[in-house]
Amino acid sequence: MNNQIVKNIVRFVLLIVIQVFIFNKINLGGYLNPYVYLMFVILLPFETPGWLLLTSSFAAGLSVDIFTGSLGIHAAATTFVAFTRPFLVRALLPKLDKGSGYLPGINSMGLATFSVYTLIFVFIHHFILFFIEVFRFSETGSILLRVLLSTLLSSAMIIILEILFKKKD
Amino acid sequence: MRSLILFLWKHRFFLLFLALEAVSGALIVSNNSYQRSKFISASNGFTGNLLSFYDNIETYFSLKKTNENLVAENARLRNRLKSSFLLHDTVSYLVNDTVYKQRYRYLEAKVISNSFQKRNNYLILSKGGKQGLYPEMGVITHNGVLGIVNSVSDNFSTVISILHSKSAIDAKLLRTGYTGTISWDGSNYRFGKLDNIPSHVDVNQGDTVVTSGYSSIFPEGILIGTVVKAVNRKNKGFYDITVKFSVDYNRVEYAYVIFNMLKDEEKTIKEEVGNE
């Protein structure tokens, strides 16, 4: 368990750093920005207590907010998606035994289930994110297209990262 | 009371979620009205330094692009400089004299493009048809022959350099007066060849080679170069003479274009000879 806490803190810091300094600089087509820091919330152990799940997700979103200057937007979206995570896990993995020390990932879930899990997860987050953004900047026209394209991009990045690093975890 | 606590405990996950969303919402609203909390502005000192440090590094990756932009801007500004405009007035004088009729007139021109490394080299002058230039005019510098005007546009003209495979300029040895033709073999831009000097002539190293004045292009006696090597090919009956050009074609800035004011007269009389 201690090992897991250290591992997740390291992952938190690393993902925020690469999000802020690498992926925030990527701007495909002017506005497509992959948000890989979500991987932190996706990979939190299934047995993480609810309060920790929510607060650590809030912290991750807020960290990205501070660096991008979009205060509160990422925090709100990430907290929301963290709130939906237990329901999502229950729907996708009905037979999951919480006490078994089972971790999310390709190794345990298989590539297909992990991809579906990631896609839905990222879609919810991006939908909330762009929804709040549009509320502020009133560019309603292309919002759904943006959500869909960004979801595909972010999910692809997260799945690739998971494939690259799964043996270490 | 107990049941209220039980209720709150039962729904702690949802209530925490609501609380965090409320904080987020408050942040969004306060950020929107530019009233940031103390916590955020304090942390901004740290993130600000981090971001500016990162920006310092990132700047290096865009140096090439920045440089290109600066060059483009330089070019744009340079276009507005006075030196980018052609000066349309000319410095040339006509002299009326009852004893000497002026035959040649000179017009100064700036060499704006010049080559010397190719087999066929051209120069471009900043004077053209509007200044009275026409093809087949001679072009010289202060110390020697440059070439012959090839084509003319309104404000520019191209000059076939003496460093050209088709260049053949009538020349003569100043000391003895024998005439030949100057050409260039394409090897070293500092040296040309003088052909058609017969074997019986006395040719020394250091002899001066000037224009002969037989063609109507150049006046007589304009410097071309000096003899550096003369090999007598007695079986052919001619010398192989290497001439060092007096002009360094690598460094040509200004040129004079020669107007032959009696050109038409010379041309008609030469045609009469040719027709016979």
Side-chain angles (χ1 to χ4, degrees):
Chain A
M1 188 63 200
N2 266 337
N3 188 24
Q4 275 304 314
I5 291 171
V6 174
K7 201 176 266 182
N8 276 287
I9 289 172
V10 170
R11 194 187 286 142
F12 179 94
V13 173
L14 282 181
L15 280 170
I16 296 296
V17 167
I18 66 165
Q19 176 65 50
V20 170
F21 291 132
I22 297 172
F23 285 97
N24 274 359
K25 311 287 171 186
I26 298 174
N27 251 315
L28 291 174
Y31 53 81
L32 287 183
N33 215 314
Y35 293 113
V36 295
Y37 77 95
L38 275 180
M39 197 176 175
F40 165 73
V41 188
I42 289 173
L43 293 184
L44 277 175
F46 289 126
E47 61 209 42
T48 311
W51 66 271
L52 190 57
L53 175 68
L54 286 176
T55 46
S56 56
S57 304
F58 178 79
L62 192 65
S63 307
V64 173
D65 274 335
I66 287 170
F67 280 101
T68 52
S70 58
L71 220 51
I73 296 176
H74 284 277
T78 314
T79 309
F80 184 85
V81 80
F83 173 71
T84 63
R85 201 185 92 142
F87 305 101
L88 185 63
V89 171
R90 219 172 294 154
L92 281 172
L93 302 162
K95 292 170 195 163
L96 182 74
D97 177 14
K98 270 201 172 181
S100 63
Y102 204 52
L103 297 170
I106 290 178
N107 283 341
S108 55
M109 300 162 79
L111 181 63
T113 317
F114 182 77
S115 301
V116 173
Y117 170 61
T118 304
L119 269 170
I120 296 173
F121 199 89
V122 172
F123 177 79
I124 295 168
H125 174 269
H126 283 19
F127 188 85
I128 300 293
L129 183 74
F130 291 126
F131 180 70
I132 299 172
E133 245 185 0
V134 166
F135 237 114
R136 297 180 68 222
F137 300 116
S138 61
E139 26 177 83
T140 344
S142 56
I143 175 158
L144 267 178
L145 186 68
R146 264 183 79 177
V147 169
L148 287 174
L149 291 176
S150 294
T151 300
L152 291 177
L153 186 63
S154 301
S155 305
M157 291 290 177
I158 290 172
I159 292 166
I160 288 168
L161 280 177
E162 168 66 10
I163 290 170
L164 288 177
F165 293 104
K166 64 179 177 183
K167 274 172 192 169
K168 286 179 184 173
D169 275 306
Chain B
M1 187 65 198
R2 194 172 169 270
S3 62
L4 177 67
I5 293 171
L6 260 176
F7 175 82
L8 290 177
W9 185 245
K10 198 181 168 191
H11 296 281
R12 63 190 187 281
F13 182 62
F14 181 65
L15 290 173
L16 181 61
F17 163 70
L18 281 185
L20 290 175
E21 287 294 350
V23 173
S24 306
L27 282 174
I28 293 170
V29 172
S30 70
N31 188 44
N32 212 13
S33 55
Y34 299 101
Q35 288 163 345
R36 299 181 180 202
S37 69
K38 260 191 177 173
F39 161 70
I40 298 302
S41 52
S43 68
N44 256 359
F46 168 70
T47 55
N49 285 333
L50 205 59
L51 285 175
S52 75
F53 170 73
Y54 181 76
D55 188 56
N56 275 340
I57 297 167
E58 205 186 28
T59 314
Y60 286 97
F61 295 107
S62 58
L63 271 184
K64 189 166 177 281
K65 186 72 196 153
T66 312
N67 214 16
E68 280 169 8
N69 289 341
L70 282 175
V71 168
E73 166 129 57
N74 267 351
R76 202 163 52 76
L77 292 174
R78 217 170 258 277
N79 283 338
R80 309 184 69 164
L81 285 178
K82 200 181 159 205
S83 63
S84 298
F85 295 92
L86 283 173
L87 201 61
H88 269 206
D89 59 32
T90 54
V91 190
S92 70
Y93 308 95
L94 282 176
V95 180
N96 278 318
D97 193 301
T98 46
V99 180
Y100 293 98
K101 183 165 172 57
Q102 188 174 6
R103 187 179 169 193
Y104 294 105
R105 193 156 66 84
Y106 295 86
L107 177 68
E108 98 292 348
K110 178 90 178 70
V111 177
I112 57 172
S113 166
N114 177 27
S115 73
F116 59 94
Q117 312 95 324
K118 300 176 207 155
R119 180 63 186 98
N120 294 328
N121 295 289
Y122 293 89
L123 300 102
I124 297 177
L125 304 180
S126 67
K127 290 273 160 70
K130 279 188 176 170
Q131 290 79 39
L133 269 66
Y134 49 85
E136 303 209 337
M137 295 173 88
V139 181
I140 61 170
T141 65
H142 63 280
N143 63 347
V145 169
L146 264 188
I148 295 166
V149 173
N150 178 43
S151 63
V152 168
S153 68
D154 273 359
N155 292 308
F156 298 101
S157 51
T158 59
V159 174
I160 294 182
S161 167
I162 203 167
L163 307 175
H164 191 289
S165 60
K166 283 178 184 159
S167 156
I169 290 168
D170 292 330
K172 72 174 181 187
L173 290 161
L174 186 63
R175 188 168 56 88
T176 52
Y178 279 93
T179 60
T181 312
I182 285 280
S183 61
W184 185 56
D185 61 0
S187 52
N188 190 333
Y189 77 95
R190 297 304 308 270
F191 300 99
K193 276 167 62 191
L194 176 59
D195 299 321
N196 298 339
I197 300 292
S199 288
H200 65 270
V201 178
D202 172 31
V203 179
N204 293 333
Q205 204 178 333
D207 278 357
T208 307
V209 181
V210 296
T211 54
S212 67
Y214 283 1
S215 73
S216 55
I217 296 171
F218 293 104
E220 190 186 340
I222 289 174
L223 190 62
I224 294 176
T226 49
V227 174
V228 288
K229 206 170 87 181
V231 181
N232 199 342
R233 304 264 184 225
K234 280 196 172 150
N235 53 342
K236 284 197 221 161
F238 291 104
Y239 272 100
D240 269 1
I241 299 176
T242 306
V243 175
K244 185 173 197 268
F245 294 127
S246 56
V247 178
D248 181 353
Y249 294 102
N250 194 355
R251 263 178 270 162
V252 183
E253 291 257 309
Y254 285 92
Y256 302 99
V257 185
I258 304 167
F259 288 80
N260 183 352
M261 297 165 82
L262 304 177
K263 186 184 161 121
D264 292 339
E265 205 178 319
E266 279 185 42
K267 207 176 165 187
T268 27
I269 204 157
K270 272 183 185 168
E271 272 169 7
E272 270 176 33
V273 174
N275 289 341
E276 273 173 17

